[in-house]
Amino acid sequence: MHRYLVLAIALGLAPLETAEAAPMRMATFEKVALSGSRLTLGSFSSLDPTCRSLGRMTISIIDPPHDGHVQVGQGQAFPNFPMFNARARCNVRKRPATFVFYTATPGYTGPDDFAIEIVDPAGNVGRARYRVTVR
């Protein structure tokens, strides 16, 4: 099931879990953003061992921010596979990636938080919560 699917996540998000798993854990990340500025939270890729893209990731907002907005976009990014992973050689070139961006409401300062769900091309699911301090 996971044989050819690994996420290259710039933020170091824990591996995706399958739907059969016991209650899904949600990784939490702390970030700082400037009011009104766009912050790139991460890039997500699904690559096979030859560094070929297996397709786009699907990212959904499952708990929206209260004082900002989240955008999802496509582009190219350097993967971030650990050295012991066979796909570490993929890290030297930009590959297709799905990005997540956060923009705080102009003039707002204070805490914000939201959660996303990430589904890879094989249907594996992962979730992450972001706690953002807006300055």
Side-chain angles (χ1 to χ4, degrees), residues 54-73:
L54 294 172
R56 290 181 176 185
M57 308 297 277
T58 301
I59 299 177
S60 303
I61 302 166
I62 56 176
D63 184 13
H66 55 82
D67 283 295
H69 67 276
V70 176
Q71 293 176 295
V72 176

Side-chain angles (χ1 to χ4, degrees), residues 1 7 12 16 20 26 35 37 55 68-69 84 89 102 108 115 122 134:
M1 181 182 319
L7 293 178
L16 295 180
E20 304 105 28
M26 188 178 302
S35 182
S37 295
H69 67 276
F84 62 84
R89 65 189 187 87
Y102 169 81
Y108 174 75
V134 181

Side-chain angles (χ1 to χ4, degrees), residues 3 9 12 18 25 38 40 43 46 49 55 60 66 80 83-85 89 101 115 117 119 127-129:
R3 198 167 90 213
I9 301 175
T18 63
R25 295 181 313 262
R38 184 164 99 159
T40 302
S43 61
S46 179
S60 303
H66 55 82
N80 190 23
M83 291 301 291
F84 62 84
N85 188 302
R89 65 189 187 87
F101 305 101
E117 179 178 77
V119 181
R127 294 190 179 128
R129 175 162 298 283

Side-chain angles (χ1 to χ4, degrees), residues 40-51:
T40 302
L41 296 173
S43 61
F44 304 84
S45 297
S46 179
L47 304 174
D48 74 9
T50 68
C51 303

